[in-house]
Amino acid sequence: MDGSGANSASNGNVARWNPTKEQVSILEGLYGQGSRTPTADQIQRIASRLRAYEGKNVFYWFQNHKARQRQKEKELQQQHGCLGFSYLNRRCLYFHNSDAPAMAPGLVNHPAPCHSSPKGMSL
Amino acid sequence: MDGSGANSASNGNVARWNPTKEQVSILEGLYGQGSRTPTADQIQRIASRLRAYEGKNVFYWFQNHKARQRQKEKELQQQHGCLGFSYLNRRCLYFHNSDAPAMAPGLVNHPAPCHSSPKGMSL
DNA sequence: CATATATGAATGAACG
DNA sequence: CGTTCATTCATATATG
């Protein structure tokens, strides 16, 4: 592969950005320094520093990196012995009813359509 | 994954709706015809026409599609080089701290009266 | 060349 | 409604 960081599709397919080792190092460095969800401004700076095509690439990098970091953490964690229900901050999830009790104790059920209709009809 | 259009988790995981090409075509057609934020009534019709699980799926589709269309617009508008494309706050960013990891608050003053989406579909 | 893994990209779902 | 999260898809890359 080339070290240009440019993307080229040998095919006629969509080209993926292919960051060089050095670029990844920079990105990881910034991530380690606390940049988890850089602002548009920051992304633009980083992108030009990397000479990446669009800030979009940098944005995706951070999104994926963050997501996968959490993912691996989660997998490592596996379980606590005390039912990981701590994620209850998923609020009702249902589209609240005009006068629904809300907060179904039943937890995050499936998108059980407890929705009352937005305009007066049941979806 | 199945291409049935229905969602099934081969696992015990949460299933995502996986619209078929045809369904997407219908949705895009409607979007192109001007449906940007369909009413509950329209969503219901569309949903049954697609045989989607719930109108919720259709609702989300339009929300996402609209949002991402605007994002692309913004991205194209700024291209790389002018700042901001971003899925991030395009809010003022009054202080451009060279290293502010946290997202610019930009006045997140929300009394949070719990106005969630699909309830008052009249967005 | 086949399989496994790493990762850019896309998108359904949901939050604030 | 914009943003953020989670899951998935597709391809590049590593390994044998």
Side-chain angles (χ1 to χ4, degrees):
Chain A
M1 98 213 27
D2 65 346
S4 65
N7 36 26
S8 55
S10 26
N11 268 314
N13 244 328
V14 188
R16 278 170 44 143
W17 173 44
N18 198 22
T20 65
K21 286 290 180 187
E22 189 185 336
Q23 289 176 319
V24 174
S25 287
I26 295 176
L27 292 167
E28 284 178 339
L30 291 168
Y31 187 91
Q33 285 171 39
S35 289
R36 302 237 317 165
T37 310
T39 64
D41 192 33
Q42 293 173 314
I43 284 178
Q44 201 259 115
R45 279 171 47 102
I46 299 168
S48 67
R49 191 183 310 178
L50 297 182
R51 290 184 175 76
Y53 278 45
E54 321 282 333
K56 191 180 68 173
N57 291 331
V58 176
F59 169 77
Y60 280 138
W61 191 90
F62 277 94
Q63 285 291 294
N64 284 317
H65 199 69
K66 191 199 302 183
R68 280 163 183 150
Q69 219 63 27
R70 296 191 83 173
Q71 187 177 307
K72 285 181 179 177
E73 209 176 284
K74 204 173 180 181
E75 286 175 3
L76 267 172
Q77 199 170 0
Q78 208 71 5
Q79 53 101 276
H80 277 171
C82 59
L83 305 181
F85 53 80
S86 21
Y87 309 110
L88 283 185
N89 54 351
R90 247 70 177 181
R91 72 169 164 198
C92 191
L93 205 226
Y94 308 152
F95 303 144
H96 9 225
N97 209 321
S98 320
D99 47 14
M103 293 309 185
L107 254 176
V108 268
N109 270 334
H110 270 237
C114 87
H115 46 12
S116 78
S117 31
K119 285 224 166 106
M121 47 202 51
S122 41
L123 288 181
Chain B
M1 56 107 167
D2 63 348
S4 64
N7 40 23
S8 54
S10 21
N11 235 322
N13 281 329
V14 187
R16 278 170 46 143
W17 175 42
N18 195 24
T20 64
K21 283 289 180 188
E22 189 184 336
Q23 289 177 319
V24 174
S25 287
I26 294 175
L27 292 168
E28 283 178 340
L30 292 168
Y31 187 90
Q33 286 171 38
S35 289
R36 302 237 315 164
T37 309
T39 63
D41 189 34
Q42 293 173 313
I43 285 179
Q44 152 77 339
R45 279 173 45 103
I46 299 169
S48 66
R49 185 158 145 204
L50 296 182
R51 287 181 177 75
Y53 275 38
E54 302 295 330
K56 197 181 70 165
N57 290 332
V58 176
F59 169 78
Y60 280 139
W61 191 92
F62 277 94
Q63 286 291 290
N64 284 317
H65 197 70
K66 191 199 300 182
R68 283 166 180 148
Q69 218 64 26
R70 295 194 71 177
Q71 285 167 188
K72 282 184 181 177
E73 243 178 65
K74 214 163 281 178
E75 186 184 325
L76 280 174
Q77 165 193 338
Q78 305 271 287
Q79 283 302 29
H80 45 107
C82 285
L83 78 59
F85 69 92
S86 134
Y87 297 148
L88 311 170
N89 40 331
R90 47 105 179 75
R91 291 184 258 267
C92 294
L93 285 180
Y94 24 65
F95 300 133
H96 54 68
N97 281 338
S98 39
D99 52 2
M103 34 184 178
L107 178 59
V108 241
N109 184 7
H110 43 49
C114 216
H115 49 296
S116 92
S117 10
K119 186 270 177 105
M121 209 86 100
S122 39
L123 292 178

